[in-house]
Amino acid sequence: MQSDLKTPLLASFASHASEPLLQGHGGSAIGIIGSGDFSRSLSIRLVACGFRVVVVSRDVKRVARGLFPEGVEFRSQREAEDGAERMVFVAVYPEHYDTLLGLREWLAGKVLVDVSNATSLNSREQSNAERLAELFPKSKVVKGFNVISAWALQVGAHDGNRQIPICSDCSISKAMVLQLARHLGFSPMDMGGLCVSRDIEEAPLILFPSWGGPILATFLLFLFFYGYNFLRHILLPYLDQGENNFYQLPLVTVNETLPAVALVTLALVYLPGLVAAVLQLSRGTKYKRFPLWLDCWLCRRKQLGLLSFLFTALHAVYSMCLTLRKAAGYTLLNAAYHQVKAGVENSWVEQLVWRSDLYLSCGILGFGVLSLLAITSLPSVGNALNWREFTFVQDLVMLL
Ligand code: NAP
């Protein structure tokens, strides 16, 4: 019986797991060419995770050893040949790759990890990783770790789900780097061959790629409603009765605009789903592609939902600040003075009291539900919900 318990149920998996591609704690060291910021942070992370690290520098004497963790070995580029590292990170800017050609023999057969970023978007030139592979044809080049800043590398993946896209033409080398990334606490993503390295290099340069359309749409909505409120509550009373309400522009008018934008943006979240359903019904099939505009719209629903939440939150804060204004104080004093002058003792209007309380209560509930929607859109929360729970939250919002 006891011997049975010692036999792994998943024999093939167990044998695979006991044969690591990488070895920490005294196994073959990991090399890093360059002694700059990235090299330093990577060393700290690798040493913290139990790996031996060798930093290869042009001039070992000039390296600020105190900034590296204890246990890191330093070697000059000339001495590099002595090392038997299987994996070497190239933490050097791509314009200096040519200066590393003297290391060709040492790097032959090794896994070379290119961590560099692109300097411009949509360039038709070959990627840094492809150029490195051309310069070192006997090495196995893997692209990865470039999307992580030196700081994030140093502190680890505590603050969220840090994904690292990785690609290479050599599947074994890629598997080694994927395994290393997992060891360091990151979430590696296998993106395929080296041909996609340009996209990975450009990834850190892209500014909110999926937010442009939704931000533009909400900005235009804001302009429209702000213009409308300006005309209706400020310009027309001024032209008609000479009433000067221009002081309302920075706060009251903005506050009147925010809920309108939030509601229309929320409607834009649910509208494309309905349009898609109508389109499928009219076509009589769901096996046909949607037009491009509808596809794009459907893909931006999450961003629109979050923007709607932002406008609602701003509206809540603005509303709370309304009573803090000097203008509100003066208006109250004036009303009290007129009331005293008119001899009115009790200004309580039951209907208005109920109306304002119900109005506020509905607003708070709506904000609560929208907050729930925003929270469930966070990957870490959304992933913990099953499909039924997710649609339940969506239906709740639709209902309200
Ligand atoms: P860095 O601080 O300027 O360090 C670059 C290192 O390259 C130098 O310390 C130098 O080390 C070495 N080097 C080798 N040959 C060189 C030459 N001919 N001229 C100048 N330096 C040479 O840069 P880094 O911030 O560590 O960035 C290194 C690479 O990591 C870049 O490709 C960058 O795109 C990438 N990266 C950086 C970050 C980040 O947050 N810093 C994030 C992602 C990716 P020795 O003098 O010891 O040889």
Side-chain angles (χ1 to χ4, degrees):
M1 179 69 184
Q2 208 150 32
S3 65
D4 277 1
L5 287 173
K6 281 180 187 161
T7 315
L9 283 172
L10 299 172
S12 61
F13 176 77
S15 67
H16 181 71
S18 65
E19 207 179 276
L21 292 166
L22 281 165
Q23 295 157 349
H25 301 288
S28 155
I30 291 180
I32 307 176
I33 303 177
S35 60
D37 294 338
F38 195 87
S39 167
R40 207 160 38 238
S41 301
L42 184 62
S43 309
I44 292 172
R45 192 94 207 107
L46 285 169
V47 169
C49 292
F51 290 92
R52 277 180 52 224
V53 176
V54 175
V55 170
V56 177
S57 168
R58 288 168 302 167
D59 186 355
V60 182
K61 285 188 204 125
R62 281 189 12 221
V63 177
R65 292 181 183 221
L67 298 176
F68 283 81
E70 244 176 73
V72 171
E73 290 170 44
F74 295 91
R75 225 180 277 152
S76 72
Q77 290 190 1
R78 258 176 280 114
E79 297 162 344
E81 258 102 279
D82 305 343
E85 296 76 30
R86 283 173 71 191
M87 188 188 289
V88 178
F89 280 81
V90 185
V92 169
Y93 279 99
E95 49 270 36
H96 302 134
Y97 283 174
D98 299 335
T99 65
L100 305 176
L101 284 174
L103 301 173
R104 246 186 192 163
E105 283 314 306
W106 172 57
L107 293 174
K110 294 188 197 302
V111 177
L112 263 192
V113 187
D114 179 277
V115 300
S116 64
N117 290 319
T119 46
S120 62
L121 281 172
N122 304 322
S123 163
R124 291 183 187 278
E125 287 171 20
Q126 72 181 158
S127 69
N128 300 332
E130 284 167 328
R131 197 162 76 80
L132 192 69
E134 222 171 75
L135 290 172
F136 298 91
K138 289 186 188 160
S139 307
K140 293 144 190 167
V141 173
V142 178
K143 178 90 221 169
F145 283 88
N146 61 306
V147 295
I148 298 287
S149 72
W151 166 250
L153 198 55
Q154 198 168 321
V155 295
H158 303 299
D159 53 343
N161 182 21
R162 293 210 171 267
Q163 293 187 324
I164 302 190
I166 289 169
C167 72
S168 175
D169 288 339
C170 171
S171 53
I172 295 175
S173 310
K174 187 164 59 178
M176 278 176 75
V177 181
L178 286 164
Q179 197 184 31
L180 176 72
R182 264 192 295 273
H183 253 85
L184 301 187
F186 296 101
S187 308
M189 291 185 296
D190 184 348
M191 302 294 287
L194 215 54
C195 55
V196 298
S197 54
R198 183 85 218 168
D199 295 339
I200 298 179
E201 283 168 12
E202 286 183 0
L205 299 183
I206 298 170
L207 183 71
F208 299 130
S210 47
W211 285 84
I215 288 175
L216 184 68
T218 45
F219 178 68
L220 292 177
L221 278 173
F222 186 87
L223 278 186
F224 173 75
F225 284 111
Y226 190 85
Y228 171 78
N229 284 323
F230 170 71
L231 280 179
R232 188 165 169 207
H233 298 132
I234 292 171
L235 198 61
L236 286 183
Y238 180 71
L239 295 176
D240 204 25
Q241 296 144 24
E243 216 178 284
N244 184 356
N245 291 334
F246 284 91
Y247 70 93
Q248 294 185 351
L249 278 175
L251 212 127
V252 178
T253 314
V254 172
N255 193 38
E256 281 167 350
T257 306
L258 290 171
V261 180
L263 281 173
V264 176
T265 313
L266 190 62
L268 290 179
V269 176
Y270 291 98
L271 192 61
L274 293 175
V275 174
V278 170
L279 201 67
Q280 284 177 340
L281 283 173
S282 69
R283 284 172 170 176
T285 174
K286 64 174 186 175
Y287 300 109
K288 249 186 178 182
R289 279 202 71 87
F290 292 130
L292 192 63
W293 60 270
L294 187 55
D295 242 358
C296 292
W297 193 0
L298 284 164
C299 293
R300 299 291 177 265
R301 284 179 295 178
K302 185 168 168 172
Q303 287 79 356
L304 286 167
L306 287 174
L307 285 170
S308 169
F309 175 67
L310 171 74
F311 281 94
T312 314
L314 284 176
H315 176 53
V317 177
Y318 267 78
S319 301
M320 278 192 282
C321 294
L322 280 182
T323 50
L324 302 178
R325 295 174 311 140
K326 277 267 177 261
Y330 293 146
T331 314
L332 204 65
L333 276 177
N334 288 347
Y337 174 74
H338 286 304
Q339 197 174 306
V340 170
K341 223 173 134 187
V344 181
E345 277 186 15
N346 188 359
S347 58
W348 185 276
V349 182
E350 188 77 10
Q351 195 194 3
L352 286 185
V353 170
W354 272 95
R355 194 190 289 177
S356 80
D357 279 14
L358 284 173
Y359 172 79
L360 279 175
S361 179
C362 288
I364 294 166
L365 279 178
F367 183 50
V369 172
L370 209 57
S371 307
L372 188 70
L373 190 71
I375 291 168
T376 52
S377 75
L378 295 174
S380 48
V381 180
N383 292 346
L385 300 176
N386 64 32
W387 180 244
R388 188 139 184 241
E389 289 160 346
F390 185 75
T391 48
F392 175 75
V393 176
Q394 301 285 325
D395 291 347
L396 198 66
V397 179
M398 287 279 262
L399 204 71
L400 284 170

